Amino acid sequence: MTLKDLLVNSSDNSLSGVKWHTLKQSIVKCLLSIGDATIAELSAELQSSIPTITKAVNELLADGFIMDMGKVANNGGRRPSLYSIAPSSAFFLGIEMGRSSMAIGLQNLKNEFVSLDLQVPFLLENTHESLLKFCAIINKFIDDSPADKSKIVGTCINLSGRINSMEGYSYNYFFNENRPLTEIVAEQIGLPVFLENDTRAMAFGEYMEGVVENEENVLFLNYSWGVGIGIVTNGRLYYGKSGYSGEFGHSSIFDNEILCHCGKIGCLETEVSGWALISQFKKALADGKKSLVELEEASPMVQHHSIISGALVQEDSLCIELITQQSEVIGRYLSVLLNIFNPDLLIIGGDFAKLGDFVLLPIQAALRKHSLGLVNRDMKLKRSVLGNKAGVIGACQIVKEKMLSSLE
Ligand SMILES: [Zn+2]
């Protein structure tokens, strides 16, 4: 039996069989949520007798779901054993689908990566062939990983744009397939599949394993090729009615007659984003400004990274100037969100977060200038610590969270 099997309903339908199964599920859940514990602690937490807990723990040990970590010190008397969840009794697969590459990672129950590749070449196209190729990459990754596939609980796939997580559809990619994307991928890879918006997954990654300490109301800005926000309120991801919350970049703000890829004119992204930065850089050169960075015929995504690296590595004045200007503008519109949400913490993440103070200082100055003083004083501003791993970590954690919530 695998941990996955233990977490589904008991096959023994007798009252005692169901009770016994539920007790073992509760012990696993307890060890996952409060960490390592002794028999006495489990007995107190689950309000079950010491002999009953001991018997259940022995069965879980025999199945390899938990480990005996050795004796702990106490104030005299017999020293009790400490039990811990066995890290390799279940795994969670996280996938981030980018435009020209994908990131994929497999975490164990202790949130450790047993396999991780942040740069798998993959060209995202809206075709059935592209989708099959994507599934083939996942299957190869699973085959090459050290984990037994039967122990992988499921996978979460992060995509940019409008995602309906509940129904399993992406409205930007593979929408013409007549079936939910989750269903097609599940059929190809033989695992349960969840779909998530990329920014929301990054926010959850930071919340579970990143820069978030005790804060329960968090805004996460994904400042990259596009611009979106992830929202955590009272410790839970906020989705909105259908999962389309956080589309900050498509707020129609400017009278600039620039067409956004969403079809609207004057969105925030038309002046603040990786793709806007490329146009601004090219226009500045055409106006006679000088730069060390040469974009040549590279793909738009490479151009976007070249300008960021121009500021960061080459300290190129034009790149720094344009990024500072964008950061001031985004800070001004983030101040609107602060006034509305009054968060404990605002995290700056995404490709631009690599620039550190080049981005954080103008954002902070704009927040001070434009948001209400009371709201601004309440809030901490931090940079993402997970960087380009935030999305994959978030995806793994979303699968883990779904497993745990199925036990509630
Ligand atoms: Zn737009």
Side-chain angles (χ1 to χ4, degrees), residues 249-250 260-264 267 269:
H250 300 291
C260 180
H261 54 86
C262 72
K264 306 264 183 269
C267 289
E269 276 194 16

